[in-house]
Amino acid sequence: MALAQQKVPLIVGDDAPEIKYSKWLKGTPVKSYEKDRIYVLEFWATWCGPCIAAMPGLSEFARKHPEVTVIAYNVMEKVGGRPYESALPNVEKFVKSMGDKMDFSVAVDNNDQYMLNNWLKNAGISAIPSTLVVKDGKLIWIGSPKGLENILELIKNGTYNVTSEGSEAQRAEVAATIKSQEAILVDYDKAIAIKDYKAAIAALDKIANDNPEMMYGVTMKKFTTLLDFVDEKQAVEVARKFLASITIGGNTVGNFGTAIADRTGLKPETYLFGAECLQLYISRSNGAPNPLVYEYIAKCYAQAGDYANAVKNQQIVFEKSQDALASGKGGTRITKELVAQYEETLKAYQAKAGKKKS
C-alpha cells in the first residue's frame, strides 16, 4: 500500500516526493524546496558499513558547498512490528558519536517508512547508500556519494541535461524492477497484513525453494518473523539449522546475533544464543574481528541478566576502541565521544554485576 502512494515509478526528471520524518536530528528542517537551491538526500542506516564510510567525505562536501543542503536520511532501521520511532535512541546515539564526521542535516524516517517507500522503493532502489539530488522541486540525479562533485559541477555550469536522463523506457524499466521486488514477497506481505503468520512462513519457504540464491535473505526474514510474531524457540531452531549448514562467517553469521541484541523483552536463553552467534562470527573472521562486535555480545549478556560476561565483553570493546582511537586506526567510526559512551556502559554493567554479587 505504501508503494502505491505514488502512481508512477519515480525517475529522474519527475517532481520530487515530499520530505517527511519522525525526527529531525541535526540542522534546519526542510519543509519545502527553495527555488534554485540544490538538495542532496543521502539514504543510510547505522548498520550500513559503506554508508558510514561515506560520511566524512559527505561532510567535507557539505562544508565546501554551503549553497547545497545535504540531508542524511536514516532508513531501514525498523525492527519487526515495533514502531520505527523505537529505533530513534540508537540512531541519536550513533549521530552523536560521529560528531563532525556527520557535518550536515540528519533526519529519521517515520513509522510509515514514507521515505523508504516513496523515494527509494518507488525508484526501484533496494540498497544503501543511495544519493538522490533535487533542484527546483525536481529529482535530477540518482547515484552514490562518490559522484556528487562531478554532478554538481555539471549542474552549475549548465551542461547537465535532466531531460536526457529520464525516458519512458527508463520508467518502464523501473516499473518492472518494482513489480519484481513486490511480487516475490506479495504472499508473505498479504499474510503478515492479516496476521496469518503460518501462511507468512509458508510463503517464505516457497520463495526459498523457488529462489535458492535468496536462501540467506529469506532465512533471516523467516528468523525475524518467528522471533517477532510466533515463537522465539522456533526462531532459534531455524537459525541453528542454517548456521550448521554453512561454513562462512561475516555478516551472514553475525546478523542473527545483532538482530537479537537489538530487540528487548526476549527470553534469557534467546539472548545467550545471540551471544553465541556473535562469538561464532568472531571465530570465523579472517584476521582481527571488528571490536564493535563485542558491544553486541555484551548487550546480549546484559539482557540475559549475565552481567559478569557483559562486563567482560564491554571491557574488550572499550579497550580496543581506546587503542584504535589513540593509534588513529579507528577509521571514521571510532570517536572520543563513542569511546566515552562505551566506558559509561561498562560502568553501568559493572554496577549491576556488583549488585548481583551482593
Side-chain angles (χ1 to χ4, degrees):
M1 289 178 65
L3 283 171
Q5 290 175 18
Q6 182 124 343
K7 293 181 180 180
V8 294
L10 180 65
I11 64 171
V12 169
D14 285 348
D15 290 338
E18 290 181 79
I19 288 179
K20 295 185 179 182
Y21 53 90
S22 60
K23 190 169 184 179
W24 201 276
L25 299 184
K26 290 182 74 171
T28 303
V30 172
K31 297 181 180 179
S32 61
Y33 303 115
E34 295 178 19
K35 183 173 174 54
D36 296 327
R37 188 161 188 83
I38 297 170
Y39 298 84
V40 171
L41 279 76
E42 179 69 17
F43 292 89
W44 68 286
T46 59
W47 48 262
C48 172
C51 299
I52 297 167
M55 295 299 181
L58 192 62
S59 294
E60 185 178 340
F61 174 88
R63 288 190 290 267
K64 183 179 176 183
H65 301 287
E67 74 280 9
V68 177
T69 297
V70 177
I71 310 168
Y73 239 103
N74 177 267
V75 294
M76 300 185 185
E77 300 276 359
K78 186 176 172 68
V79 177
R82 292 160 56 187
Y84 198 98
E85 285 83 351
S86 66
L88 274 173
N90 184 53
V91 177
E92 289 178 305
K93 180 180 176 182
F94 176 90
V95 173
K96 182 181 178 181
S97 76
M98 290 293 283
D100 62 6
K101 291 182 176 69
M102 291 186 77
D103 200 8
F104 36 71
S105 292
V106 182
V108 183
D109 206 354
N110 62 19
N111 197 42
D112 294 331
Q113 298 187 90
Y114 173 89
M115 298 300 289
L116 173 65
N117 289 318
N118 289 273
W119 284 79
L120 295 187
K121 287 188 175 180
N122 266 2
I125 300 170
S126 59
I128 51 175
S130 288
T131 310
L132 286 77
V133 178
V134 173
K135 185 174 185 289
D136 294 331
K138 299 281 186 182
L139 175 64
I140 63 171
W141 187 76
I142 297 175
S144 72
K146 292 181 180 179
L148 278 174
E149 283 289 357
N150 289 337
I151 199 67
L152 183 61
E153 183 178 351
L154 293 175
I155 293 169
K156 284 186 172 182
N157 64 29
T159 58
Y160 180 63
N161 187 353
V162 176
T163 57
S164 68
E165 288 287 316
S167 68
E168 289 311 308
Q170 184 186 8
R171 194 181 302 282
E173 183 180 343
V174 173
T177 300
I178 295 172
K179 186 176 180 180
S180 65
Q181 290 172 349
E182 289 180 302
I184 206 160
L185 284 172
V186 65
D187 290 338
Y188 171 83
D189 290 336
K190 284 180 180 178
I192 288 294
I194 61 172
K195 299 183 180 181
D196 187 346
Y197 303 121
K198 183 177 180 180
I201 297 300
L204 291 176
D205 288 338
K206 185 176 186 307
I207 293 170
N209 185 62
D210 295 344
N211 305 272
E213 74 281 2
M214 296 178 63
M215 179 58 72
Y216 167 64
V218 173
T219 301
M220 274 302 301
K221 201 164 192 70
K222 182 175 181 178
F223 170 72
T224 55
T225 300
L226 289 169
L227 197 62
D228 291 328
F229 304 119
V230 184
D231 180 76
E232 293 175 41
K233 187 175 180 180
Q234 288 183 47
V236 169
E237 288 172 357
V238 165
R240 281 195 187 280
K241 183 178 179 180
F242 179 77
L243 293 175
S245 71
I246 62 171
T247 57
I248 58 176
N251 290 339
T252 305
V253 175
N255 282 348
F256 288 103
T258 56
I260 289 171
D262 283 337
R263 285 162 167 78
T264 57
L266 302 179
K267 297 174 183 176
E269 55 265 36
T270 304
Y271 288 117
L272 294 177
F273 173 70
E276 183 184 328
C277 291
L278 291 160
Q279 287 160 341
L280 180 62
Y281 160 78
I282 291 174
S283 70
R284 292 184 180 181
S285 295
N286 294 321
N290 187 328
L292 305 183
V293 175
Y294 292 99
E295 180 189 21
Y296 277 104
I297 296 176
K299 192 175 179 181
C300 283
Y301 277 123
Q303 294 190 99
D306 183 349
Y307 288 104
N309 272 313
V311 168
K312 178 182 175 181
N313 284 278
Q314 190 67 22
Q315 185 76 45
I316 292 172
V317 71
F318 171 58
E319 291 177 356
K320 285 184 177 292
S321 61
Q322 253 190 332
D323 293 344
L325 184 64
S327 65
K329 296 179 180 178
T332 61
R333 182 68 176 94
I334 306 298
T335 64
K336 62 181 181 181
E337 292 86 2
L338 187 63
V339 173
Q341 287 178 18
Y342 288 151
E343 184 177 24
E344 185 180 332
T345 301
L346 174 60
K347 289 178 180 178
Y349 289 162
Q350 288 171 331
K352 290 180 179 179
K355 285 184 179 179
K356 277 216 161 190
K357 286 182 180 179
S358 62

